[in-house]
Amino acid sequence: NYLYQMLESEHGWKLILWFAVVLNVNLAVLNILPLPIVDGGHVVTLLLTWLIEKIIRRKEKKSLRHS
């Protein structure tokens, strides 16, 4: 009943749309976190691996230049 009353009001559809957007954003953030429960750790792991490899390559280039 409350949902129907919200839809009948002037700004009710805006409240429902806002709730849907907030819910989806929260789920997206949880999906990116590296928790096994929400299974978003793959993205974070890939980013960290890429960053670490980039740092190692820079150090290797510097050491090759100086030797």
Side-chain angles (χ1 to χ4, degrees):
N1 275 345
Y2 184 70
L3 182 62
Y4 294 120
Q5 289 174 354
M6 281 182 61
L7 286 173
E8 288 177 357
S9 71
E10 184 177 333
H11 299 290
W13 65 272
K14 290 180 184 178
L15 288 172
I16 292 173
L17 183 63
W18 177 82
F19 176 74
V21 168
V22 169
L23 181 67
N24 282 317
V25 168
N26 283 330
L27 287 174
V29 168
L30 282 176
N31 196 26
I32 292 174
L33 293 176
L35 300 173
I37 298 169
V38 293
D39 195 32
H42 299 291
V43 174
V44 175
T45 304
L46 288 174
L47 287 174
L48 286 175
T49 305
W50 174 77
L51 183 64
I52 290 170
E53 287 177 357
K54 190 173 182 177
I55 291 171
I56 290 172
R57 277 188 248 131
R58 281 187 182 173
K59 287 183 179 182
E60 287 176 352
K61 284 182 183 179
K62 284 183 181 180
S63 66
L64 288 174
R65 285 184 205 157
H66 296 293
S67 49

